[in-house]
Amino acid sequence: MDRVLDEPLKKTLGPATAKVMAEHLDLHTVGDLLHHYPRRYEERGQLTRLDELPLDEDVTVLAQVADARVLTFNGGRGRRLEITITDGSGRLQLVFFGRGIHKPHKDLLPGSRAMFAGKVSMFNRKLQLAHPTYERLDADSGDGVVSAFAGRLIPIYPACKGLESWKIAKAVDAVLPQAGEALDPLPPALREGRGFVPLPEALLKIHRPGTKADIEDARQRLKWDEAFVLQVALARRRHADAQLPAVARRPVPDGLLDAFDARLPFTLTEGQQKVSAEIFGDLATEHPMHRLLQGEVGSGKTMVALRAMLAVVDAGGQAAMLAPTEVLAQQHHRSITEMMGDLAEGGMLGGAERATKVVLLTGSMGAAARRQALLDLVTGEAGIVIGTHALIEDKVQFHDLGLVVVDEQHRFGVEQRDALRGKGKQPPHLLVMTATPIPRTVAMTVFGDLETSVLDQLPAGRSPIATHVVPAADKPHFLARAWERVREEVEGGHQAYAVCPRIGDDQDEQRKKSAEDEAEKRPPLAVLDVAGQLTAGPLKGLRVEVLHGRMAPDDKDDVMRRFAAGEVDVLVATTVIEVGVNVPNATAMVIMDADRFGVSQLHQLRGRVGRGSAPGLCLLVTEMPEASPARARLGAVAATLDGFELSRIDLEQRREGDVLGQAQSGVRSSLRVLAVIDDEEVIAAAREEAVSVVTADPELEHLPELRTALDALLDKDREQYLDKG
């Protein structure tokens, strides 16, 4: 291992700084810090663009003080300092309160330049930083900063509260000499073939570039390291999986599957047929299938999965479907037994001759029902079981588990999936379903060992959804009109959803109000408040109910059941309705504070309307000003129904690191310089190189540095978890 780079930071930096780095930035060793790259670079002579700052993010900006004034409030008892900083493109307000105003008032004189760090918030519809920390860049600001940033390019690091970019830069200076010891993971032939600079040089250039060309050289090289090491890990995983045995499961003629197909009241879409063929091809091999099935909400994934499950039952095996919540498990169970009719009544009077049993297994079942379900699984009486992670408990034994279908994969822990796999006599085939469209490159990185199938056409009979942005602050009458539209839908015999970002009523949600809070933007709208306002106001007389995550499970199910039965006109809910709620009669959705949701989440939510024959309507209500990035995001959602297009936008907005950071538990470094969207070529090329390296030398015996890099990427025992989110 790189001895030098494994040295703990507290040896070099001092305990306080090391502690903040470990807790907030997850940096523990010299190597970690060397791989904490600048997010961007400021040029000494220039200033940051202030007109493009993202809301709610910690930023570091370089700007000039335009003016400063002290204001009093609370009848002269409170004082606050307001400073306007400018960069030529835009202006930004800084606010300091109370005793904290003396020093900045003295330091930040009009005309002086400084770097400012803080969280961007919105106050009185203007962007501001409340209590930012700052570091002056004038000639007289002491030599520390100026010498630290003597270059023309000032690196701006991803920072956190309590550790500003300039403090990180000083820490990097302390460890930079050790970069020379970094082991190079790229095989020499590959590095020379592609003309990359050696790793120590790349690290030096990314932290302290002399020119923009230096940054480019370093980034190209470091991107390749990330992509290549990740792809080698995935290639090794695929290689190992290809060695595993599995029972081939081929559907038998005139079996359950044929009987099911014969009764289908519609023909499968072309996409469903193509994807089914891919799945049946995998099931027929002696190695476990690992397939990711992506499809928009309502594209018929469940139908494809059910046919695969029936084929496995035909072949004498059992199939298990894992859902993330009890509500979803019950829904799948209901819809699958409905689709199958008497084919799901195996061994019962009135069951069809080729029938099997379909059982439900969840944590809240009564003891007797649970005992019976477990018995049906062990004897093989039940060919299909649908459940939550209760399925994974030790007590659950299968007769012959042949296929596991996981719904909404990103909500399932790694260990859980493996536990379920261990229940087969040999590893079962695995089909992972997700309604979140994942761009190809992300699929190649996050789910790199799963083959991907995509269902991209909606089945006949689904209606289009019209989406509009409702700018509540600029045009309040638009909001009034939105509620009128909801009334019209209800009068037409339909139902509607109103979605809010939070619940309300909770003690921890009651924020303490103080002078500092003056600077806070208002808290997001809450279900309970909105429901109250609607019943008293614009939706008076309609049957309005609430649904949120803190309700008792029985109450939730009861509300959902009544909504599905048409006994409730408008459901005011949190995002608990995001997955799997199917009410074809619901045609309208109003999303309050829509700017508080991610693009993909809005798309998921919107998928809840227009599920029947009547067209859907989705209204995105926001108070964000017209020019804000948040409004642009909402505009994008309104402009297209294509989930793949939106997931690209979402990734570009969210900085891939977050997406992958959450998706890759077990991988210490989420991607740092690799931008999944822009670097499609790098990823594809790295994947090819990785495959050829692994094919030639699966154990990497001849590439010790690459092995070391892999061990660092994967905590040793977690290599097999790489793909698992």
Side-chain angles (χ1 to χ4, degrees):
M1 246 342 242
D2 296 0
R3 282 285 153 260
V4 186
L5 300 196
D6 273 349
E7 205 161 88
L9 282 171
K10 47 180 182 283
K11 272 189 161 167
T12 338
L13 297 183
T17 310
K19 187 172 182 229
V20 180
M21 285 199 169
E23 284 174 10
H24 294 287
L25 298 171
D26 197 22
L27 306 175
H28 306 274
T29 64
V30 169
D32 289 347
L33 180 55
L34 285 173
H35 288 291
H36 186 71
Y37 310 131
R39 180 174 272 177
R40 57 192 169 82
Y41 303 85
E42 294 286 11
E43 292 192 60
R44 198 163 195 52
Q46 295 181 342
L47 297 168
T48 315
R49 287 195 70 85
L50 295 179
D51 54 355
E52 294 168 356
L53 292 180
L55 202 54
D56 268 346
E57 273 192 47
D58 280 302
V59 298
T60 301
V61 298
L62 175 62
Q64 190 161 11
V65 176
D67 58 60
R69 58 196 169 280
V70 175
L71 304 171
T72 56
F73 56 94
N74 269 355
R77 283 197 301 282
R79 299 172 64 208
R80 82 172 175 262
L81 168 66
E82 286 185 5
I83 293 181
T84 310
I85 57 174
T86 174
D87 66 344
S89 76
R91 299 165 82 79
L92 181 66
Q93 196 79 9
L94 311 180
V95 200
F96 297 89
F97 290 101
R99 296 209 188 90
I101 75 175
H102 304 303
K103 190 168 164 16
H105 198 197
K106 197 168 83 239
D107 286 346
L108 300 174
L109 301 170
S112 59
R113 289 183 169 214
M115 289 161 78
F116 301 92
K119 199 180 208 119
V120 182
S121 59
M122 189 78 135
F123 181 63
N124 276 343
R125 314 203 26 218
K126 281 206 195 63
L127 290 180
Q128 69 164 25
L129 294 179
H131 276 280
T133 48
Y134 57 89
E135 185 88 356
R136 284 171 34 192
L137 288 177
D138 312 340
D140 61 347
S141 62
D143 43 278
V145 186
V146 176
S147 63
F149 301 115
R152 191 168 62 88
L153 294 163
I154 301 179
I156 303 292
Y157 288 92
C160 63
K161 200 169 165 54
L163 203 57
E164 295 83 10
S165 171
W166 49 88
K167 290 188 185 150
I168 297 174
K170 284 182 184 152
V172 168
D173 281 337
V175 299
L176 210 47
Q178 282 137 293
E181 308 287 328
L183 287 182
D184 202 323
L186 291 190
L190 168 62
R191 194 182 76 223
E192 284 145 25
R194 292 188 175 263
F196 289 135
V197 299
L199 184 57
E201 188 184 326
L203 288 170
L204 218 55
K205 284 182 164 171
I206 197 140
H207 288 292
R208 297 293 173 263
T211 62
K212 290 191 172 163
D214 284 352
I215 302 173
E216 206 30 54
D217 287 351
R219 293 188 85 103
Q220 279 311 331
R221 163 64 216 246
L222 295 165
K223 254 176 209 182
W224 250 90
D225 279 14
E226 285 183 12
F228 180 71
V229 174
L230 190 56
Q231 291 302 336
V232 166
L234 293 165
R236 289 191 61 196
R237 161 113 204 210
R238 286 194 301 272
H239 187 284
D241 281 342
Q243 319 300 317
L244 287 176
V247 182
R249 311 277 178 176
R250 299 183 183 82
V252 295
D254 294 332
L256 193 53
L257 180 63
D258 286 351
F260 176 77
D261 282 350
R263 308 163 162 223
L264 278 182
F266 50 82
T267 50
L268 297 174
T269 65
E270 228 172 292
Q272 285 175 317
Q273 287 170 351
K274 179 176 108 318
V275 169
S276 291
E278 293 170 348
I279 292 172
F280 288 149
D282 285 356
L283 288 173
T285 63
E286 316 257 304
H287 300 294
M289 159 170 85
H290 281 141
R291 196 166 275 283
L292 175 68
L293 173 56
Q294 293 179 237
E296 293 281 339
V297 171
S299 57
K301 292 187 298 293
T302 313
M303 171 61 72
V304 169
L306 175 56
R307 292 184 70 246
M309 292 179 7
L310 295 174
V312 168
V313 174
D314 270 347
Q318 290 169 296
M321 184 181 226
L322 267 178
T325 63
E326 296 216 354
V327 174
L328 264 179
Q330 287 158 354
Q331 270 187 358
H332 279 312
H333 183 252
R334 236 189 340 262
S335 64
I336 283 175
T337 42
E338 278 166 18
M339 285 193 222
M340 287 175 65
D342 59 1
L343 292 173
E345 296 170 1
M348 301 185 216
L349 281 172
E353 55 177 319
R354 299 189 196 78
T356 184
K357 243 184 179 179
V358 179
V359 298
L360 177 68
L361 191 62
T362 61
S364 64
M365 285 168 74
R370 190 179 167 81
R371 244 196 325 275
Q372 184 58 52
L374 291 173
L375 188 66
D376 288 341
L377 283 179
V378 126
T379 58
E381 189 80 3
I384 294 178
V385 57
I386 293 154
T388 52
H389 39 255
L391 272 179
I392 295 163
E393 291 170 12
D394 293 343
K395 295 193 273 302
V396 183
Q397 293 301 321
F398 290 86
H399 176 64
D400 178 13
L401 180 62
L403 169 67
V404 176
V405 178
V406 180
D407 186 25
E408 284 303 331
Q409 190 266 352
H410 57 281
R411 296 167 190 243
F412 258 99
V414 172
E415 289 79 3
Q416 297 166 312
R417 228 195 311 169
D418 260 30
L420 196 60
R421 265 180 159 174
K423 302 231 178 240
K425 297 189 174 54
Q426 287 191 319
H429 297 284
L430 175 69
L431 180 65
V432 170
M433 302 199 298
T434 174
T436 314
I438 302 164
R440 181 174 145 255
T441 41
V442 180
M444 271 194 320
T445 30
V446 183
F447 304 104
D449 70 333
L450 297 171
E451 298 298 324
T452 309
S453 297
V454 178
L455 278 175
D456 46 13
Q457 39 186 158
L458 288 185
R462 286 297 301 265
S463 307
I465 304 170
T467 309
H468 303 287
V469 178
V470 177
D474 309 350
K475 305 187 173 145
H477 58 284
F478 275 36
L479 183 56
R481 177 75 190 110
W483 299 121
E484 274 169 36
R485 284 290 292 115
V486 169
R487 285 198 94 98
E488 286 163 21
E489 290 296 314
V490 172
E491 279 154 20
H494 296 299
Q495 292 157 279
Y497 299 98
V499 183
C500 307
R502 50 175 212 127
I503 300 170
D505 95 338
D506 189 32
Q507 289 66 50
D508 64 19
E509 292 189 23
Q510 297 303 323
R511 285 244 240 6
K512 296 182 293 297
K513 272 289 178 213
S514 68
E516 274 85 346
D517 255 3
E518 246 202 342
E520 271 287 357
K521 52 179 192 292
R522 68 166 176 74
L525 289 169
V527 166
L528 300 170
D529 309 341
V530 169
Q533 288 157 14
L534 291 176
T535 33
L539 301 186
K540 205 176 176 146
L542 300 188
R543 297 168 298 177
V544 177
E545 295 262 354
V546 300
L547 179 70
H548 57 73
R550 282 208 305 271
M551 287 162 62
D554 298 353
D555 298 347
K556 270 194 254 189
D557 290 345
D558 177 55
V559 171
M560 264 327 300
R561 198 183 43 64
R562 287 185 298 129
F563 186 64
E567 297 163 23
V568 173
D569 299 321
V570 181
L571 190 60
V572 183
T574 54
T575 53
V576 287
I577 61 161
E578 179 181 3
V579 280
V581 174
N582 187 10
V583 180
N585 189 41
T587 51
M589 176 178 287
V590 180
I591 303 180
M592 306 304 291
D593 277 342
D595 46 272
R596 309 283 175 116
F597 299 97
V599 169
S600 296
Q601 203 176 19
L602 290 169
H603 183 61
Q604 290 285 85
L605 285 167
R606 164 172 71 181
R608 303 283 128 226
V609 294
R611 299 176 77 83
S613 49
L617 172 67
C618 176
L619 302 172
L620 307 173
V621 179
T622 176
E623 294 192 352
M624 283 295 163
E626 200 152 353
S628 60
R631 272 285 280 283
R633 235 181 24 232
L634 298 180
V637 176
T640 176
L641 287 171
D642 177 346
F644 284 91
E645 181 49 37
L646 289 174
S647 66
R648 286 187 78 100
I649 294 169
D650 197 17
L651 273 180
E652 282 160 5
Q653 301 255 340
R654 278 198 308 189
R655 301 222 173 90
E656 301 73 12
D658 317 339
V659 182
L660 299 184
Q662 283 142 17
Q664 305 197 353
S665 60
V667 178
R668 269 220 306 258
S669 75
S670 87
L671 302 189
R672 300 175 188 219
V673 272
L674 199 62
V676 174
I677 294 284
D678 309 334
D679 296 328
E680 195 157 336
E681 293 76 46
V682 176
I683 293 170
R687 182 174 172 137
E688 274 171 43
E689 293 269 12
V691 170
S692 60
V693 165
V694 171
T695 317
D697 180 4
E699 289 305 306
L700 307 178
E701 285 162 16
H702 306 298
L703 298 166
E705 291 84 359
L706 177 55
R707 280 225 63 129
T708 306
L710 265 188
D711 295 342
L713 175 69
L714 316 168
D715 296 334
K716 193 75 188 101
D717 52 340
R718 304 194 65 159
E719 181 160 3
Q720 71 259 40
Y721 292 154
L722 185 63
D723 72 306
K724 285 199 187 153

